[in-house]
Amino acid sequence: MKYTSVSLLEKGFYVASLAVALLLSPLTQAQTEQVTAQQFVDLQQGQAHFPGFRRAHAKGICVSGEFKSNGRLSQYSNATVFKAGTHPFIGRLSIAGNNPHAAELTAPVRSFALSFVTGAQRWNIAMNTPPVMAVTNPHDFYQQIVALKQGKEAVKDFFAGHPESADFLAWKASYTPSSSFALETYHSINAFYLVDEKAQRQAIRWKMLPLNEESKNPYTGKDALQQEFATRLEKGAVRFNWQFIFAKQEDDENNPAKLWPSNRAKVDAGEIFITHWQPQLSGNCHALNFDPLILPSGVKATEDPILRARSAAYAESYRRRAKEQLMGALEETAND
């Protein structure tokens, strides 16, 4: 699997061409049935259509700041981002769902995306609060979304037939969404490889651990998370520790539903500092597709089929909203 390098095109022309390539064939799938990116995105957007917005995680804010690398990962990867020093990023914080006007505090999943540009290369990162996926292949992932839309009984029946969801369900039972984007832990979900100068690779996952003061959210409206975040930033940067988890030989990096044991080696690569935010429609993150397969030299994709499903669905969602914006369908000027 080749890693992808991307020139600096802020408006996403590279991603538009990538979308065409990805959508010429169905998503990889371990079973005989196949699911296309178009089917995924059709299901995500549902009957309630919001032109010009992402089909999933439609509501969010743009953020920016810098990663202060301590250099500890540079022995495992030649990626520029891991060299000791300061590396700027553009990012996005969001909630699950296709509704850009949804209430934020009740959202069951929060997401954090980052985009680093170093020279002619870009690294896009898309993280969520769950540490693992519930299933192992795109077909089952699609059926999981179908069940979620059908209601509690369908969800119960789905998980009864999928014992591989045990780690996800254990996390779900213990997780309580916080009242702040700044207090969540965000996970890579899928595994990747770090690749060093000698082409030696190490399977890893990562998480962003919050380093921010606990406080009660004074806001209760539908924009409570972004309002709290804006108020918090007025007092100083929002910080996260970027921690990498190293797989052992017996860990399957291609299985996104299985947690690795807690005793795996961990390396803290440095700290993320978020210093600014913007409404998403006027912010510099809105034109970006945070495709997790846009990778720099020194970071490589595993063969995890869910990772490729995510990439193709992101590209299809981007293609649709870019076309809608081009045709003037997006008339929103506010962030809510």
Side-chain angles (χ1 to χ4, degrees):
M1 176 66 187
K2 294 182 179 179
Y3 56 76
T4 307
S5 60
V6 188
S7 58
L8 179 55
L9 298 174
E10 292 298 338
K11 296 301 181 181
F13 295 116
Y14 167 83
V15 177
S17 61
L18 175 64
V20 173
L22 284 168
L23 299 172
L24 288 177
S25 60
L27 300 174
T28 302
Q29 206 281 114
Q31 303 175 19
T32 56
E33 296 180 71
Q34 294 177 324
V35 182
T36 66
Q38 293 96 326
Q39 288 174 305
F40 262 113
V41 178
D42 285 345
L43 184 62
Q44 288 174 321
Q45 77 178 26
Q47 298 300 315
H49 186 205
F50 298 93
F53 287 92
R54 286 168 166 84
R55 270 36 181 191
H57 302 277
K59 187 172 185 179
I61 57 173
C62 294
V63 295
S64 59
E66 57 190 22
F67 169 52
K68 294 185 179 179
S69 172
N70 56 30
R72 292 177 189 166
L73 278 185
S74 58
Q75 63 179 304
Y76 302 102
S77 170
N78 58 14
T80 303
V81 166
F82 296 134
K83 293 181 179 179
T86 300
H87 308 279
F89 65 81
I90 294 169
R92 186 172 185 264
L93 290 162
S94 61
I95 60 172
N98 70 337
N99 184 355
H101 314 295
E104 296 174 341
L105 286 176
T106 56
V109 173
R110 287 81 186 271
S111 301
F112 185 17
L114 295 172
S115 183
F116 292 96
V117 174
T118 52
Q121 298 191 34
R122 184 187 291 275
W123 185 10
N124 284 357
I125 296 170
M127 300 173 286
N128 287 311
T129 42
V132 289
M133 301 292 297
V135 293
T136 62
N137 64 76
H139 174 264
D140 289 346
F141 188 20
Y142 182 86
Q143 295 304 323
Q144 179 189 353
I145 300 173
V146 170
L148 287 170
K149 288 182 175 291
Q150 290 176 340
K152 291 183 178 180
E153 286 303 314
V155 171
K156 183 180 178 181
D157 290 342
F158 175 85
F159 284 123
H162 289 274
E164 73 275 21
S165 300
D167 287 347
F168 173 82
L169 292 176
W171 168 82
K172 184 174 179 290
S174 64
Y175 172 68
T176 301
S178 78
S179 61
S180 173
F181 281 130
L183 299 178
E184 295 284 357
T185 296
Y186 300 95
H187 301 87
S188 64
I189 305 180
N190 305 99
F192 294 81
Y193 295 115
L194 298 182
V195 184
D196 65 17
E197 295 286 354
K198 297 180 179 179
Q200 298 295 311
R201 68 185 193 182
Q202 168 65 53
I204 50 89
R205 288 172 174 163
W206 66 76
K207 54 186 174 181
M208 298 282 184
L209 298 163
L211 299 173
N212 307 295
E213 181 181 351
E214 294 272 355
S215 61
K216 184 177 180 181
N217 190 335
Y219 304 101
T220 58
K222 65 179 184 178
D223 301 326
L225 288 180
Q226 53 189 277
Q227 288 176 307
E228 190 276 344
F229 195 82
T231 300
R232 185 182 287 268
L233 269 187
E234 292 175 358
K235 302 175 184 178
V238 169
R239 299 164 50 229
F240 293 88
N241 175 35
W242 195 355
Q243 184 178 88
F244 285 72
I245 301 96
F246 282 49
K248 283 191 174 182
Q249 188 69 32
E250 59 266 34
D251 299 321
D252 183 0
E253 65 268 32
N254 298 317
N255 183 350
K258 185 65 177 176
L259 277 174
W260 297 342
S262 59
N263 63 356
R264 294 298 181 253
K266 301 175 180 64
V267 175
D268 294 336
E271 291 188 14
I272 292 286
F273 289 77
I274 300 175
T275 53
H276 297 88
W277 80 279
Q278 297 171 300
Q280 66 175 355
L281 296 185
S282 57
N284 49 17
C285 75
H286 187 60
L288 291 179
N289 170 20
F290 292 95
D291 180 346
L293 287 187
I294 296 180
L295 303 168
S297 174
V299 183
K300 188 175 180 180
T302 63
E303 295 301 320
D304 177 354
I306 294 282
L307 183 56
R308 281 150 183 78
R310 291 178 67 196
S311 175
Y314 282 29
E316 171 66 3
S317 173
Y318 179 89
R319 184 191 68 81
R320 294 186 188 192
R321 65 189 179 91
K323 180 180 178 181
E324 289 161 354
Q325 290 175 332
L326 183 65
M327 299 181 69
L330 180 60
E331 299 178 355
E332 304 278 351
T333 57
N335 196 45
D336 54 14

